[in-house]
Amino acid sequence: MAAVEFRPKKIRLVAGACAVFLVAVFTVVGLLLGDTPTGVIFRTSDQVAMVCLGVLLACGVLLLTRPRVRADAEGVEVRNVITAHRFAWHDVLHVSFPDGASWARLELPDDEYVSVMAIQAVDRDHAVTAVRTLRDLHRTATPTTEPGDPER
């Protein structure tokens, strides 16, 4: 099976719309700051700072579009909002999607796991396809042995 890549779908649309909204609102507020009846004097630097604040907040929201999972016959790379990890398939015990969870996860030895934020429950069919594909790659890469076989 060839390499596959999955990214969240709905959150990308929502985050993009929110980012545009934040920049627009902070730009309008920044432009309107110069004319207030309160007696407070806002300078051009204050107006620019408001626009920059909107851009920074929009960039923060756009971080939610960063998650991605890439997998091939050798292993899986999970990139979440900030961190990225690569695991060989033999280090992964299971690909799971627990009931009520927001996203899938890779079960690792010693009761550890890594969340796969690229596969989100709100994406429904896309998430099901992604989990099944990862499970197929994992099954192919980690052949099972018969019960009682001491090699595994």
Side-chain angles (χ1 to χ4, degrees):
M1 188 178 281
V4 294
E5 178 177 303
F6 294 101
R7 297 176 67 112
K9 292 203 177 269
K10 289 185 181 178
I11 193 68
R12 293 172 74 188
L13 296 173
V14 171
C18 286
V20 170
F21 177 76
L22 283 169
V23 170
V25 167
F26 276 81
T27 299
V28 169
V29 169
L31 293 174
L32 296 177
L33 272 181
D35 185 27
T36 61
T38 61
V40 178
I41 300 171
F42 290 103
R43 297 199 160 83
T44 304
S45 62
D46 298 318
Q47 293 172 307
V48 170
M50 281 302 277
V51 174
C52 290
L53 183 60
V55 170
L56 285 174
L57 289 172
C59 289
V61 168
L62 288 175
L63 280 175
L64 297 175
T65 66
R66 192 171 184 267
R68 176 189 71 205
V69 61
R70 284 184 180 163
D72 54 27
E74 285 79 41
V76 60
E77 175 192 355
V78 177
R79 182 176 77 183
N80 288 328
V81 174
I82 296 174
T83 62
H85 302 283
R86 174 122 179 116
F87 300 98
W89 282 122
H90 62 81
D91 294 331
V92 176
L93 300 178
H94 305 284
V95 177
S96 66
F97 209 126
D99 289 338
S102 296
W103 43 73
R105 64 190 197 182
L106 300 178
E107 305 287 342
L108 304 173
D110 299 325
D111 292 327
E112 293 183 21
Y113 67 89
V114 172
S115 297
V116 183
M117 295 176 73
I119 304 174
Q120 300 184 356
V122 296
D123 289 334
R124 300 189 188 276
D125 292 337
H126 179 69
V128 170
T129 302
V131 169
R132 285 181 179 162
T133 303
L134 290 179
R135 285 178 178 166
D136 288 343
L137 281 167
H138 181 258
R139 191 176 311 111
T140 303
T142 55
T144 58
T145 57
E146 294 298 320
D149 189 354
E151 292 184 28
R152 183 154 174 127

